[in-house]
Amino acid sequence: MVSRRTDTYYSSSKAIVVNPIDPIIPDMERPEEEIIGVVSSLTMATSPDIQEATIQKFFAPDAGFRHPLCAVKREPGSRQSILGIYQWYRIMSPRIILEVKDVVYDRKRNVIFLEIEQKFHLRFNPLPGGFSRLITRLELQEQIDGLHYITLQEDFYHPSDFAALIIPPLRPFIEAGLRAASLV
């Protein structure tokens, strides 16, 4: 289902399969339609070269990054630090399964919100990986060539989803703790 309003684009999507070995990545002229391919290429890349090409093509040279475990300040040359984070992410979990569930694009503010479900399994963790949900907020900047570039990425996790990302068996304990904290 896709509905358009004057300044906001809403999309509820099923999994879009992008070939991470040989991705066909658009130019981000229409970010609301093309961002899923960008995210898939970045997170499910099978080689560091694909990740680097994706970062170089879609992130501004001074982009920022915020995640519960790390942050990169927006400043000249910061894109290289973001590349390092994504490449370390790929080393920690060589096979990531990711599905973008929803895309919301606010044209006035040039911001995209993505609802993402991912399975991230730490390479040396003997426990099975679990799915976790996150909301990713992307600030974009449109250049004179009409293309959009990511200037800030922020990832938001619910505490139980973050536990599922790192140590899946902790999830029920985190959820129990959250329910207990709500008792009055």
Side-chain angles (χ1 to χ4, degrees), residues 48-86:
D49 294 336
I50 293 171
Q51 280 184 318
E52 183 172 10
T54 304
I55 291 277
Q56 294 295 329
K57 186 172 183 178
F58 297 108
F59 278 74
D62 63 344
F65 183 86
R66 293 186 58 203
H67 184 276
L69 295 177
C70 59
V72 174
K73 184 180 176 183
R74 241 191 117 185
E75 59 190 9
S78 57
R79 178 169 59 192
Q80 281 306 114
S81 296
I82 296 170
L83 173 61
I85 290 168
Y86 272 102

Side-chain angles (χ1 to χ4, degrees), residues 10-177:
Y10 301 92
S11 168
S12 297
S13 62
K14 298 293 180 198
I16 293 182
V17 178
V18 174
N19 181 352
I21 295 169
D22 185 24
I24 298 170
I25 305 170
D27 287 326
M28 279 246 290
E29 292 178 75
R30 296 176 314 280
E32 69 275 16
E33 297 171 15
E34 300 163 345
I35 195 64
I36 294 173
V38 173
V39 169
S40 298
S41 178
L42 186 58
T43 57
M44 297 190 296
T46 56
S47 80
D49 294 336
I50 293 171
Q51 280 184 318
E52 183 172 10
T54 304
I55 291 277
Q56 294 295 329
K57 186 172 183 178
F58 297 108
F59 278 74
D62 63 344
F65 183 86
R66 293 186 58 203
H67 184 276
L69 295 177
C70 59
V72 174
K73 184 180 176 183
R74 241 191 117 185
E75 59 190 9
S78 57
R79 178 169 59 192
Q80 281 306 114
S81 296
I82 296 170
L83 173 61
I85 290 168
Y86 272 102
Q87 290 186 338
W88 179 243
Y89 185 72
R90 194 179 135 279
I91 289 168
M92 289 179 8
S93 180
R95 186 171 180 273
I96 296 169
I97 299 168
L98 180 135
E99 181 180 345
V100 176
K101 297 286 194 177
D102 286 304
V103 175
V104 177
Y105 178 41
D106 182 335
R107 284 183 179 85
K108 273 187 181 175
R109 294 182 18 220
N110 217 6
V111 173
I112 290 181
F113 293 91
L114 303 163
E115 181 183 349
I116 298 171
E117 205 172 86
Q118 70 176 345
K119 186 174 186 180
F120 178 90
H121 183 258
L122 292 170
R123 178 184 295 262
F124 300 110
N125 186 349
L127 303 170
F131 277 93
S132 61
R133 185 178 66 91
L134 71 143
I135 302 298
T136 295
R137 181 182 182 273
L138 301 172
E139 289 183 12
L140 305 175
Q141 185 175 56
E142 186 174 1
Q143 298 295 321
I144 30 179
D145 59 5
L147 302 181
H148 293 79
Y149 297 89
I150 299 167
T151 57
L152 178 64
Q153 175 181 336
E154 296 179 283
D155 291 340
F156 300 98
Y157 291 86
H158 188 277
S160 63
D161 286 311
F162 193 66
L165 179 74
I166 305 298
I167 305 171
L170 283 182
R171 183 180 213 151
F173 298 106
I174 300 291
E175 289 172 348

